[in-house]
Amino acid sequence: MGCRVLDPTMSVALLLLCVGVTGVLSGASDHRYKADDTVPLYANKVGPFHNPSETYRYFDLPFCTPEHVKEKREALGEVLNGDRLVEAPYKLEFRVDHDSKSVCRRKLSKEDVAKFRGAVAKDYYFQMYFDDLPLWGFIGKADKEGKTDPSENKYFLYRHIHFEVLYNKDRVIEINVQTDPSALVDVTEDREVEVEFLYSTKWKETVIPFEQRMQKYSKSSSLPHHLEVHWFSIINSCVTVLLLTGFLATILMRVLKNDFVKYAHDEESAEDQEESGWKYIHGDVFRFPKHKSLFAACLGTGTQLFTLTIFIFILALVGVFYPYNRGALFTALVVIYALTSGIAGYTATSFYLQLEGTNWVRNLILTGCLFCGPLFLTFCFLNTVAIAYSATAALPFGTILVILLIWTLVTFPLLVLGGVAGKNSKVEFQAPCRTTKYPREVPPMPWYRHTVPQMAMAGFLPFSAIYIELYYIFASVWGHRIYTIYSILFIVFIILLIVTAFITVALTYFQLAAEDHEWWWRAYLCGGSTGLFVYGYCLYYYYARSDMSGFMQTSFFFGYMACVCYAFFLLLGMIGFRASLLFVRHIYKSIKCE
């Protein structure tokens, strides 16, 4: 059956070795088989087609269950991804054909029939792995034609599965699965039913080399009409960048040039002439912001998340990632986040001490909890929901313990080491102008110069540069599309960073020109505001572009997307502030500050 699946996952084996996380990263199976060898077939999960997070164990439905269910040992990322592989009841021997072979004959009770009917009504699909190649199919079909009342619908269970396997010499290359539309079991009514489950196997030789067997799964995202849309997205984003840079280069630079000429003329003509514009606040522009500990923690965490994103892109661009490498993206995220925590500690502590902060230990703890804290609380709530639903998304206690150990033994020590290194760096804050003892009063501003309208203006342009690509990412993570065009995604990410930096610099200039010197937090909030726009897009995607439903799927979608958008906010806020700081230092270096 042609359902494409859900997770755009990847591989990071070398990093796993660094922290001693053991387990087999799947997808790179290189097994060679002889005739009659049993090729491993694992049943993974079942679940509603439109709810990718709501998946259950295969044998939660009353299929033919072997006496001893043998579970496959899984890596950390596979468990985080909700994979729970068990040996399937079907036995497929290499190059051995079967025609209507019986799996088992069983009597379905009324409760079993009700379970199957509920599953068919919700469009349940099954997922399996054959020699680490993914395959899917629907478990049944609903007959709704010509019926307006849902109670009149008929529900049928497929009882005969046909496997078609392609092989090249002694290796498995491809597998397709189909269900026999003529072998149906009526599960519309609550009554006991006698069912014989069957399967057929057909082996065919192919010339496709083993190295290309995964290309089938990545072709869909590289089709010409899809690429056209992606390139249109890139061109749209580039036009946005060019317009913005053109605006900055012509308007802002001309205005700055006029400002420099004016201020130089003022200095020559009348020393006692009253200053105006951004030069007027030179004694306040480098006054440290309020809540400096929180500000430094935001910068440190944003820098760590930026580094994490760059590492993920590097792994993607060198060809490490391929479709359906089970759970490896999650493994990569956990491990790289742990290894980069020292960057957060160093950045936050060094900047906090530049801001003349005194309690660097408290600042370090705040940095460690700023992103992990909300993520942990969200995880606790969603894991409780998954446990209540008995879904595979519920993490076992052992996995939670492994993650806590990684945080305790890797993340936290590296965070402290980074903090100590930051404390010992003793870098002074580079300010071209001296700060006066008493702050000037900020003049009253019109409503559109307040923080929230400025954030709305700052977030709109960067969001408009990425929104086309966002749909494909959402359809991959929260749907069944495959996304493999990482080079285009990386270009879009670079464009996002450039637009964010430019728009924040422009707004910072206008703020300073209006003699408002409280620009530190404003630059950070304006830079990060794109994250809020992305969360707004989540609402649109959920209600207009997807068929997700139910409390569990809704809470998973909005819960985890809130964490992702919060990470975006921290990352882009850091970019916006760093760009603004460079700009402010540059313009105040160019004039004589007295």
Side-chain angles (χ1 to χ4, degrees), residues 475-519:
S476 176
V477 177
W478 300 104
H480 301 269
R481 282 180 181 268
I482 300 166
Y483 194 99
T484 57
I485 317 173
Y486 302 115
S487 53
I488 287 181
L489 186 60
F490 184 64
I491 295 169
V492 171
F493 178 68
I494 296 298
I495 291 170
L496 172 66
L497 297 183
I498 294 169
V499 177
T500 301
F502 282 172
I503 194 70
T504 312
V505 164
L507 291 174
T508 300
Y509 169 77
F510 293 131
Q511 183 183 354
L512 296 177
E515 299 176 7
D516 181 357
H517 57 81
E518 295 175 348
W519 63 276

Side-chain angles (χ1 to χ4, degrees), residues 313-519:
F313 271 120
I314 289 170
L315 288 173
L317 293 171
V318 297
V320 175
F321 298 163
Y322 51 90
Y324 310 118
N325 189 8
R326 290 190 302 274
L329 171 62
F330 294 104
T331 311
L333 289 171
V334 169
V335 174
I336 299 173
Y337 183 84
L339 294 176
T340 53
S341 58
I343 294 169
Y346 177 83
T347 308
T349 305
S350 63
F351 198 80
Y352 177 65
L353 294 175
Q354 285 179 47
L355 300 181
E356 298 174 1
T358 52
N359 196 340
W360 69 274
V361 175
R362 187 180 68 179
N363 171 252
L364 199 60
I365 293 168
L366 179 61
T367 305
C369 298
L370 192 67
F371 181 69
C372 282
L375 181 65
F376 179 72
L377 292 174
T378 306
F379 162 75
C380 287
F381 170 70
L382 295 179
N383 206 54
T384 306
V385 171
I387 290 169
Y389 273 73
S390 301
T392 61
L395 294 191
F397 177 72
T399 305
I400 297 172
L401 199 62
V402 167
I403 293 170
L404 289 174
L405 283 172
I406 290 173
W407 195 88
T408 309
L409 301 177
V410 182
T411 308
F412 188 69
L414 286 176
L415 181 76
V416 172
L417 282 173
V420 171
K423 177 180 177 289
N424 294 332
S425 64
K426 294 185 172 131
V427 179
E428 289 189 7
F429 186 78
Q430 302 296 317
C433 302
R434 282 179 310 191
T435 302
T436 56
K437 190 172 182 183
Y438 300 105
R440 292 181 189 270
E441 189 177 344
V442 176
M445 296 287 168
W447 67 269
Y448 58 84
R449 285 195 180 276
H450 292 173
T451 304
V452 173
Q454 293 283 294
M455 287 174 68
M457 281 189 272
F460 177 74
L461 263 175
F463 175 75
S464 68
I466 64 167
Y467 80 97
I468 295 176
E469 212 62 27
L470 269 183
Y471 169 73
Y472 289 96
I473 296 165
F474 273 60
S476 176
V477 177
W478 300 104
H480 301 269
R481 282 180 181 268
I482 300 166
Y483 194 99
T484 57
I485 317 173
Y486 302 115
S487 53
I488 287 181
L489 186 60
F490 184 64
I491 295 169
V492 171
F493 178 68
I494 296 298
I495 291 170
L496 172 66
L497 297 183
I498 294 169
V499 177
T500 301
F502 282 172
I503 194 70
T504 312
V505 164
L507 291 174
T508 300
Y509 169 77
F510 293 131
Q511 183 183 354
L512 296 177
E515 299 176 7
D516 181 357
H517 57 81
E518 295 175 348
W519 63 276

